[in-house]
């Protein structure tokens, strides 16, 4: 490894979740010191354990420092960039010639900077000419995004800054375990409660977040829309809705009112398992508060009815008259580091930069003009993430795939199918820092620079665009993803469209491409971000201050009003039955991140969480003769996983929870159901039917 110059104190942001804590780095790569950045107003110096240990992967002995190619014997062996890139370019070209441009697919990620997501989208359309690009955000934010656009006209996860939480009298947190998934946010809830506020959490488990709440609604998995409709029923019955607001600022309430009438409390209690008294208490808290917020997480969203679930919570916030009011409103808590920006600038199958639609003629013309590329050569919409993965191989027609920023073998649902699909490819290329489980299947693996070695921007969960700053250069032999895309484009004969002086030059082109779109970044510059601890989009001109709070006056819909949507709940795609008698739900633990490529390599985190623990209620454990710590097999219609029992009162007797951070036989995604939401194409990670098999 080359020695790097000593850098004093680089202010940057954590590589992991959407909270994007400000941190300061000092020292060389081999012994970086990480500190919380007290000047950054979001985390105010606080970090979680993942942030404190985030520098470990930078100089990790398993880090990839040169490309790998698969040789004739089937082994991955070191190669030069020249060899590796030549092989990728040849494979892409010959597959395109034999099967058409759409036979080459791209799978991106929400951890990529804005510059990288933007360039990856452009690379797909201009360098490859393929319609088939999508990304792991489809597994994360797509349901919340679709609901936000339908009801409020725009998808900015939180349409207000985090600081507003502290002044909200009541907050309902639906399906989110922030105490483990973004711990520094708890300072805002603590401030809220110190101000006399009340926190209500709905979750099938008594999580650390639920334990910190005033009221925990322990609902049956998959019944979120019933809860929201039931609360609306009570608010209407007791006349705690805001008639003036509904009249002046919304449309479509009448139909929603009629549907809410059918969700009477006894029915809601029967379906959700939440006692009537708690429903009434929640409705009164929300209805009588001057300021109230409803925030959703993946619990309510990662379902085959994720979009309607979110719409049902937006209905509630609108009926309360709270959306666009101070210290109030509706928001969803974005998950991945750049989960927000990553869903705005063109790595989605149906999208062009600035949150434009690729099927929209005006959007195509605008972006084609910025790119100086013939509009008629831009492909149309492609396949969504799971459908794209499910189409890999000769049958589905996508013969080759570039994965950049995701570990789909571990994180996509119905893992056995995903592995088979990947194995049936003619050619797989993966860019990563480590040999992830997906990279292990690749024909070519390309080593990528890590967060502290690159410049770029990230958009946090509040819509605040911030700078990722470089503390040192990548190790010799490692390229940034931007350099990789430039070099690959050149080998595909598209150099003219992929030559940039710097990441900032890519950002400047993104600004122009996003101008006039919903996510308008045209007025955001690196300088301006620097000067103000970030800029909130939309920011349509350089002299515009950015937009921390949306909807104060109107909604970006044709009528300027927010739209109610009638929501009739549906059952989950798979429900417990005789053969598979329990609900399985999946999610996260504090000390591991996502597919675990980074965090499973960090000693301190492994000490805290070294294997998946399946949470099982004592009553259920007893029925199966299981004691705490026993090994067991979980089985669904799609596969089996080996896990250890964590016997706990914190989970409902009818439900088992398993975290998804581990691979191979410990992978929760061997179990999950790829049933998709009809609108967002989000898989149902949060509900399926499972049985326990004791050893
Ligand atoms: N430690 C850690 N932090 C992370 C991540 C990580 O991997 N590890 N990932 C980041 C990312 S990308 C994301 S998206 C966020 C996710 O952040 P969260 O949404 O907070 O995380 P999850 O654990 O997926 O799900 C939240 C809760 O949903 C509950 N739940 C399950 N089924 C249901 C249901 O049917 N209804 C309701 N209401 N709740 C249900 C689960 O019990 C769980 O406690 O976290 C981010 N932060
Ligand atoms: N069962 C179940 N499954 C789930 C979920 C669940 O709740 N339950 N949640 C889903 C959600 S919300 C999400 S967001 C997905 C996430 O799942 P994944 O997409 O697998 O997420 P990561 O583990 O972050 O994968 C990122 C990979 O890319 C690499 N990487 C990170 N940054 C970069 C970069 O800048 N460049 C390059 N080249 N590589 C990079 C990392 O080392 C890692 O191997 O999982 C989904 N899967
Ligand atoms: S909360 Fe998120 S951004 Fe902050 S230190 Fe932890 S993982 Fe990093
Ligand atoms: Mo996510």
């Amino acid at each position: 490894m080359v020695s790097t110059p000593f850098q004093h104190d680089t202010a940057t942001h954590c590589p992991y979740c959407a909270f994007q804590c400000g941190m300061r780095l000092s020292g060389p790569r081999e012994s970086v010191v990480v500190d919380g950045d007290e000047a950054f107003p979001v985390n105010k110096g606080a970090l979680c354990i993942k942030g404190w240990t985030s520098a470990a992967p930078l100089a990790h002995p398993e880090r990839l420092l040169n490309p790998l190619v698969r040789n004739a014997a089937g082994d991955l062996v070191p190669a030069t960039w020249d060899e590796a890139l030549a092989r990728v370019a040849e494979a892409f070209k010959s597959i395109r010639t034999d099967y058409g441009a759409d036979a080459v697919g791209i799978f991106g990620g929400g951890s990529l900077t804005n510059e990288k997501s933007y360039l990856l989208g452009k690379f797909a359309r201009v360098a490859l000419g393929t319609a088939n690009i999508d990304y792991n955000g489809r597994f994360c934010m797509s349901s919340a995004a679709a609901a936000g656009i339908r009801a409020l006209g725009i998808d900015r996860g939180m349409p207000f800054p985090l600081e507003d939480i502290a002044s909200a009298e009541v907050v309902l947190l639906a399906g989110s375990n922030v105490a483990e998934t973004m711990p520094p946010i708890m300072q805002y809830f603590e401030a809220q409660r110190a101000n006399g506020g009340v926190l209500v959490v709905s979750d099938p488990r008594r999580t650390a977040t639920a334990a910190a709440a005033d009221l925990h609604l322990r609902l049956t998995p998959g019944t979120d829309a019933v809860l929201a409709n039931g609360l609306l029923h009570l608010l209407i019955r007791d006349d705690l809705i805001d008639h003036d607001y509904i009249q002046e600022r919304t449309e479509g309430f009448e139909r929603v009112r009629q549907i809410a009438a059918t969700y009477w409390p006894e029915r809601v209690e029967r379906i959700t398992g939440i006692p009537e008294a708690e429903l009434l208490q929640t409705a009164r808290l929300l209805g009588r508060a001057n300021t109230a917020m409803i925030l959703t997480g993946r619990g309510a969203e990662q379902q085959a009815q994720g979009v309607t679930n979110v719409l049902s919570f937006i209905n509630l916030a609108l009926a309360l008259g709270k959306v666009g009011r101070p210290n109030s409103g509706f928001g969803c808590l974005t998950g991945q580091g750049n989960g927000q920006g990553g869903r705005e600038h063109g790595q989605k199958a149906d999208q062009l930069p600035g949150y434009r639609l690729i099927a929209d003629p005006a959007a195509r013309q605008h972006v084609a003009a910025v790119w100086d590329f013939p509009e008629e050569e831009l492909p149309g919409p492609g396949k969504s993430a799971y459908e794209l993965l499910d189409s890999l191989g000769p049958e589905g027609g996508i013969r080759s795939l570039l994965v950049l920023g995701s570990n789909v073998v571990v994180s996509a649902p119905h893992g056995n199918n995903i592995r088979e699909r990947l194995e049936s490819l003619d050619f797989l290329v993966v860019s990563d820092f480590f040999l992830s489980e997906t990279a292990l299947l690749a024909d070519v693996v390309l080593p990528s620079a890590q967060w502290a070695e690159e410049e770029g921007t990230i958009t946090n969960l509040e819509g605040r665009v911030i700078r990722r700053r470089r503390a040192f250069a990548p190790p010799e032999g490692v390229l940034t993803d931007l350099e990789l895309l430039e070099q690959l484009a050149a080998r595909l004969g598209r150099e003219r469209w992929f030559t940039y002086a710097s990441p900032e030059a890519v950002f400047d082109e993104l600004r122009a491409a996003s101008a006039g779109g919903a996510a308008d970044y045209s007025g955001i510059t690196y300088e301006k971000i620097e000067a103000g601890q970030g800029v909130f989009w939309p920011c349509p001109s350089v002299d515009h201050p950015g937009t921390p709070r949306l909807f104060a006056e109107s909604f970006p819909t044709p009528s300027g009003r927010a739209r109610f949507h009638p929501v009739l709940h549906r059952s989950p795609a798979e429900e417990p039955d005789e053969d598979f008698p329990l609900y399985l739900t999946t999610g996260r633990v504090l000390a591991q991140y996502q597919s675990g490529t980074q965090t499973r390599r960090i000693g301190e985190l492994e000490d805290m969480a070294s294997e998946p623990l399946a949470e099982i209620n004592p009553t259920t454990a007893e029925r199966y003769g299981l004691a705490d710590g026993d090994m067991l097999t979980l089985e669904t219609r799609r596969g089996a996983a080996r896990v250890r029992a964590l016997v706990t009162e914190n989970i409902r007797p009818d439900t088992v929870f398993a975290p998804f951070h581990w691979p191979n036989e410990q992978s929760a995604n061997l179990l999950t159901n790829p049933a998709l939401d009809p609108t967002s194409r989000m898989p149902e990670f949060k509900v399926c039917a499972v049985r326990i098999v004791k050893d």
Side-chain angles (χ1 to χ4, degrees), residues 524-544:
I524 305 179
T525 63
Y526 275 24
E527 257 181 355
K528 221 162 121 178
I529 297 173
E530 201 81 46
Q533 296 287 16
V535 180
F536 290 80
W537 71 261
C539 181
S541 63
V542 178
D543 53 12
H544 188 286

PDB file of all heavy atoms in Angstrom, residues 524-544:
ATOM      1  N   ILE A 524     -27.473  25.006  -6.680  1.00  0.00           N
ATOM      2  CA  ILE A 524     -26.580  24.507  -5.626  1.00  0.00           C
ATOM      3  C   ILE A 524     -25.157  24.405  -6.186  1.00  0.00           C
ATOM      4  O   ILE A 524     -24.956  23.811  -7.239  1.00  0.00           O
ATOM      5  CB  ILE A 524     -27.046  23.131  -5.113  1.00  0.00           C
ATOM      6  CG1 ILE A 524     -28.508  23.216  -4.649  1.00  0.00           C
ATOM      7  CG2 ILE A 524     -26.150  22.640  -3.968  1.00  0.00           C
ATOM      8  CD1 ILE A 524     -29.090  21.901  -4.151  1.00  0.00           C
ATOM      9  N   THR A 525     -24.202  24.995  -5.502  1.00  0.00           N
ATOM     10  CA  THR A 525     -22.799  24.866  -5.923  1.00  0.00           C
ATOM     11  C   THR A 525     -21.996  24.315  -4.750  1.00  0.00           C
ATOM     12  O   THR A 525     -22.415  24.412  -3.590  1.00  0.00           O
ATOM     13  CB  THR A 525     -22.199  26.234  -6.301  1.00  0.00           C
ATOM     14  OG1 THR A 525     -22.208  27.047  -5.117  1.00  0.00           O
ATOM     15  CG2 THR A 525     -23.001  26.924  -7.391  1.00  0.00           C
ATOM     16  N   TYR A 526     -20.817  23.766  -5.064  1.00  0.00           N
ATOM     17  CA  TYR A 526     -19.946  23.268  -3.990  1.00  0.00           C
ATOM     18  C   TYR A 526     -19.652  24.400  -2.993  1.00  0.00           C
ATOM     19  O   TYR A 526     -19.638  24.186  -1.786  1.00  0.00           O
ATOM     20  CB  TYR A 526     -18.637  22.723  -4.583  1.00  0.00           C
ATOM     21  CG  TYR A 526     -18.689  21.282  -5.069  1.00  0.00           C
ATOM     22  CD1 TYR A 526     -19.887  20.673  -5.437  1.00  0.00           C
ATOM     23  CD2 TYR A 526     -17.523  20.517  -5.153  1.00  0.00           C
ATOM     24  CE1 TYR A 526     -19.914  19.361  -5.884  1.00  0.00           C
ATOM     25  CE2 TYR A 526     -17.541  19.201  -5.596  1.00  0.00           C
ATOM     26  CZ  TYR A 526     -18.738  18.619  -5.960  1.00  0.00           C
ATOM     27  OH  TYR A 526     -18.752  17.317  -6.388  1.00  0.00           O
ATOM     28  N   GLU A 527     -19.448  25.571  -3.538  1.00  0.00           N
ATOM     29  CA  GLU A 527     -19.131  26.725  -2.675  1.00  0.00           C
ATOM     30  C   GLU A 527     -20.257  27.033  -1.697  1.00  0.00           C
ATOM     31  O   GLU A 527     -20.034  27.301  -0.527  1.00  0.00           O
ATOM     32  CB  GLU A 527     -18.954  27.965  -3.556  1.00  0.00           C
ATOM     33  CG  GLU A 527     -17.534  28.360  -3.773  1.00  0.00           C
ATOM     34  CD  GLU A 527     -17.455  29.605  -4.643  1.00  0.00           C
ATOM     35  OE1 GLU A 527     -18.500  30.094  -5.141  1.00  0.00           O
ATOM     36  OE2 GLU A 527     -16.332  30.079  -4.827  1.00  0.00           O
ATOM     37  N   LYS A 528     -21.465  27.010  -2.239  1.00  0.00           N
ATOM     38  CA  LYS A 528     -22.626  27.357  -1.421  1.00  0.00           C
ATOM     39  C   LYS A 528     -22.842  26.311  -0.316  1.00  0.00           C
ATOM     40  O   LYS A 528     -23.203  26.641   0.815  1.00  0.00           O
ATOM     41  CB  LYS A 528     -23.849  27.389  -2.330  1.00  0.00           C
ATOM     42  CG  LYS A 528     -24.782  28.530  -2.048  1.00  0.00           C
ATOM     43  CD  LYS A 528     -25.678  28.736  -3.238  1.00  0.00           C
ATOM     44  CE  LYS A 528     -27.110  28.585  -2.839  1.00  0.00           C
ATOM     45  NZ  LYS A 528     -28.015  28.819  -3.971  1.00  0.00           N
ATOM     46  N   ILE A 529     -22.618  25.055  -0.653  1.00  0.00           N
ATOM     47  CA  ILE A 529     -22.753  23.993   0.348  1.00  0.00           C
ATOM     48  C   ILE A 529     -21.748  24.248   1.468  1.00  0.00           C
ATOM     49  O   ILE A 529     -22.065  24.171   2.658  1.00  0.00           O
ATOM     50  CB  ILE A 529     -22.489  22.605  -0.282  1.00  0.00           C
ATOM     51  CG1 ILE A 529     -23.519  22.299  -1.361  1.00  0.00           C
ATOM     52  CG2 ILE A 529     -22.472  21.527   0.786  1.00  0.00           C
ATOM     53  CD1 ILE A 529     -23.238  21.031  -2.151  1.00  0.00           C
ATOM     54  N   GLU A 530     -20.534  24.566   1.030  1.00  0.00           N
ATOM     55  CA  GLU A 530     -19.440  24.835   1.953  1.00  0.00           C
ATOM     56  C   GLU A 530     -19.819  25.956   2.926  1.00  0.00           C
ATOM     57  O   GLU A 530     -19.610  25.856   4.129  1.00  0.00           O
ATOM     58  CB  GLU A 530     -18.247  25.298   1.122  1.00  0.00           C
ATOM     59  CG  GLU A 530     -16.907  25.171   1.765  1.00  0.00           C
ATOM     60  CD  GLU A 530     -16.405  23.747   1.640  1.00  0.00           C
ATOM     61  OE1 GLU A 530     -16.492  23.159   0.549  1.00  0.00           O
ATOM     62  OE2 GLU A 530     -15.942  23.247   2.658  1.00  0.00           O
ATOM     63  N   ALA A 531     -20.404  26.993   2.379  1.00  0.00           N
ATOM     64  CA  ALA A 531     -20.682  28.185   3.178  1.00  0.00           C
ATOM     65  C   ALA A 531     -21.804  27.967   4.184  1.00  0.00           C
ATOM     66  O   ALA A 531     -21.848  28.624   5.217  1.00  0.00           O
ATOM     67  CB  ALA A 531     -21.016  29.354   2.249  1.00  0.00           C
ATOM     68  N   GLY A 532     -22.729  27.033   3.893  1.00  0.00           N
ATOM     69  CA  GLY A 532     -23.936  26.990   4.729  1.00  0.00           C
ATOM     70  C   GLY A 532     -24.255  25.655   5.365  1.00  0.00           C
ATOM     71  O   GLY A 532     -25.398  25.423   5.714  1.00  0.00           O
ATOM     72  N   GLN A 533     -23.311  24.751   5.536  1.00  0.00           N
ATOM     73  CA  GLN A 533     -23.596  23.428   6.089  1.00  0.00           C
ATOM     74  C   GLN A 533     -24.704  22.742   5.300  1.00  0.00           C
ATOM     75  O   GLN A 533     -25.623  22.139   5.856  1.00  0.00           O
ATOM     76  CB  GLN A 533     -23.992  23.507   7.579  1.00  0.00           C
ATOM     77  CG  GLN A 533     -22.902  24.014   8.490  1.00  0.00           C
ATOM     78  CD  GLN A 533     -21.795  22.975   8.703  1.00  0.00           C
ATOM     79  OE1 GLN A 533     -21.674  21.996   7.970  1.00  0.00           O
ATOM     80  NE2 GLN A 533     -20.956  23.185   9.697  1.00  0.00           N
ATOM     81  N   GLY A 534     -24.625  22.888   3.980  1.00  0.00           N
ATOM     82  CA  GLY A 534     -25.588  22.207   3.115  1.00  0.00           C
ATOM     83  C   GLY A 534     -26.629  23.155   2.558  1.00  0.00           C
ATOM     84  O   GLY A 534     -26.831  24.253   3.083  1.00  0.00           O
ATOM     85  N   VAL A 535     -27.256  22.708   1.473  1.00  0.00           N
ATOM     86  CA  VAL A 535     -28.349  23.477   0.847  1.00  0.00           C
ATOM     87  C   VAL A 535     -29.499  22.503   0.595  1.00  0.00           C
ATOM     88  O   VAL A 535     -29.283  21.405   0.079  1.00  0.00           O
ATOM     89  CB  VAL A 535     -27.894  24.081  -0.507  1.00  0.00           C
ATOM     90  CG1 VAL A 535     -29.039  24.875  -1.140  1.00  0.00           C
ATOM     91  CG2 VAL A 535     -26.663  24.968  -0.334  1.00  0.00           C
ATOM     92  N   PHE A 536     -30.712  22.910   0.969  1.00  0.00           N
ATOM     93  CA  PHE A 536     -31.880  22.053   0.757  1.00  0.00           C
ATOM     94  C   PHE A 536     -32.433  22.260  -0.648  1.00  0.00           C
ATOM     95  O   PHE A 536     -32.644  23.401  -1.069  1.00  0.00           O
ATOM     96  CB  PHE A 536     -32.996  22.420   1.740  1.00  0.00           C
ATOM     97  CG  PHE A 536     -32.717  22.060   3.177  1.00  0.00           C
ATOM     98  CD1 PHE A 536     -31.911  22.866   3.978  1.00  0.00           C
ATOM     99  CD2 PHE A 536     -33.288  20.927   3.741  1.00  0.00           C
ATOM    100  CE1 PHE A 536     -31.677  22.535   5.309  1.00  0.00           C
ATOM    101  CE2 PHE A 536     -33.052  20.598   5.066  1.00  0.00           C
ATOM    102  CZ  PHE A 536     -32.249  21.400   5.857  1.00  0.00           C
ATOM    103  N   TRP A 537     -32.677  21.162  -1.392  1.00  0.00           N
ATOM    104  CA  TRP A 537     -33.353  21.312  -2.688  1.00  0.00           C
ATOM    105  C   TRP A 537     -34.843  21.424  -2.446  1.00  0.00           C
ATOM    106  O   TRP A 537     -35.278  20.983  -1.390  1.00  0.00           O
ATOM    107  CB  TRP A 537     -32.975  20.173  -3.650  1.00  0.00           C
ATOM    108  CG  TRP A 537     -33.506  18.793  -3.357  1.00  0.00           C
ATOM    109  CD1 TRP A 537     -32.874  17.753  -2.739  1.00  0.00           C
ATOM    110  CD2 TRP A 537     -34.810  18.287  -3.710  1.00  0.00           C
ATOM    111  NE1 TRP A 537     -33.679  16.653  -2.676  1.00  0.00           N
ATOM    112  CE2 TRP A 537     -34.880  16.948  -3.261  1.00  0.00           C
ATOM    113  CE3 TRP A 537     -35.936  18.820  -4.346  1.00  0.00           C
ATOM    114  CZ2 TRP A 537     -36.023  16.138  -3.434  1.00  0.00           C
ATOM    115  CZ3 TRP A 537     -37.062  18.017  -4.509  1.00  0.00           C
ATOM    116  CH2 TRP A 537     -37.092  16.695  -4.050  1.00  0.00           C
ATOM    117  N   PRO A 538     -35.648  21.952  -3.335  1.00  0.00           N
ATOM    118  CA  PRO A 538     -35.254  22.567  -4.597  1.00  0.00           C
ATOM    119  C   PRO A 538     -34.552  23.910  -4.407  1.00  0.00           C
ATOM    120  O   PRO A 538     -34.875  24.664  -3.497  1.00  0.00           O
ATOM    121  CB  PRO A 538     -36.599  22.759  -5.324  1.00  0.00           C
ATOM    122  CG  PRO A 538     -37.647  22.760  -4.260  1.00  0.00           C
ATOM    123  CD  PRO A 538     -37.109  21.916  -3.160  1.00  0.00           C
ATOM    124  N   CYS A 539     -33.607  24.157  -5.317  1.00  0.00           N
ATOM    125  CA  CYS A 539     -32.846  25.397  -5.285  1.00  0.00           C
ATOM    126  C   CYS A 539     -32.634  25.820  -6.745  1.00  0.00           C
ATOM    127  O   CYS A 539     -31.648  25.427  -7.362  1.00  0.00           O
ATOM    128  CB  CYS A 539     -31.524  25.166  -4.553  1.00  0.00           C
ATOM    129  SG  CYS A 539     -30.529  26.650  -4.440  1.00  0.00           S
ATOM    130  N   PRO A 540     -33.591  26.563  -7.286  1.00  0.00           N
ATOM    131  CA  PRO A 540     -33.632  26.780  -8.730  1.00  0.00           C
ATOM    132  C   PRO A 540     -32.693  27.866  -9.270  1.00  0.00           C
ATOM    133  O   PRO A 540     -32.612  28.005 -10.497  1.00  0.00           O
ATOM    134  CB  PRO A 540     -35.096  27.147  -9.006  1.00  0.00           C
ATOM    135  CG  PRO A 540     -35.606  27.677  -7.714  1.00  0.00           C
ATOM    136  CD  PRO A 540     -34.816  27.034  -6.616  1.00  0.00           C
ATOM    137  N   SER A 541     -32.005  28.627  -8.423  1.00  0.00           N
ATOM    138  CA  SER A 541     -31.050  29.587  -8.994  1.00  0.00           C
ATOM    139  C   SER A 541     -29.954  29.865  -7.970  1.00  0.00           C
ATOM    140  O   SER A 541     -30.145  29.645  -6.762  1.00  0.00           O
ATOM    141  CB  SER A 541     -31.751  30.909  -9.355  1.00  0.00           C
ATOM    142  OG  SER A 541     -32.248  31.502  -8.179  1.00  0.00           O
ATOM    143  N   VAL A 542     -28.830  30.353  -8.439  1.00  0.00           N
ATOM    144  CA  VAL A 542     -27.672  30.506  -7.568  1.00  0.00           C
ATOM    145  C   VAL A 542     -27.961  31.477  -6.423  1.00  0.00           C
ATOM    146  O   VAL A 542     -27.428  31.327  -5.321  1.00  0.00           O
ATOM    147  CB  VAL A 542     -26.428  30.900  -8.391  1.00  0.00           C
ATOM    148  CG1 VAL A 542     -25.224  31.106  -7.486  1.00  0.00           C
ATOM    149  CG2 VAL A 542     -26.108  29.817  -9.401  1.00  0.00           C
ATOM    150  N   ASP A 543     -28.838  32.444  -6.651  1.00  0.00           N
ATOM    151  CA  ASP A 543     -29.150  33.371  -5.546  1.00  0.00           C
ATOM    152  C   ASP A 543     -30.318  32.888  -4.672  1.00  0.00           C
ATOM    153  O   ASP A 543     -30.765  33.580  -3.773  1.00  0.00           O
ATOM    154  CB  ASP A 543     -29.398  34.792  -6.079  1.00  0.00           C
ATOM    155  CG  ASP A 543     -30.447  34.793  -7.175  1.00  0.00           C
ATOM    156  OD1 ASP A 543     -31.120  33.751  -7.338  1.00  0.00           O
ATOM    157  OD2 ASP A 543     -30.590  35.823  -7.865  1.00  0.00           O
ATOM    158  N   HIS A 544     -30.823  31.689  -4.938  1.00  0.00           N
ATOM    159  CA  HIS A 544     -31.927  31.125  -4.138  1.00  0.00           C
ATOM    160  C   HIS A 544     -31.334  30.454  -2.887  1.00  0.00           C
ATOM    161  O   HIS A 544     -30.338  29.744  -2.982  1.00  0.00           O
ATOM    162  CB  HIS A 544     -32.670  30.098  -4.993  1.00  0.00           C
ATOM    163  CG  HIS A 544     -33.934  29.576  -4.389  1.00  0.00           C
ATOM    164  ND1 HIS A 544     -33.937  28.681  -3.342  1.00  0.00           N
ATOM    165  CD2 HIS A 544     -35.237  29.809  -4.690  1.00  0.00           C
ATOM    166  CE1 HIS A 544     -35.190  28.390  -3.026  1.00  0.00           C
ATOM    167  NE2 HIS A 544     -36.003  29.065  -3.831  1.00  0.00           N
TER     168      HIS A 544
END
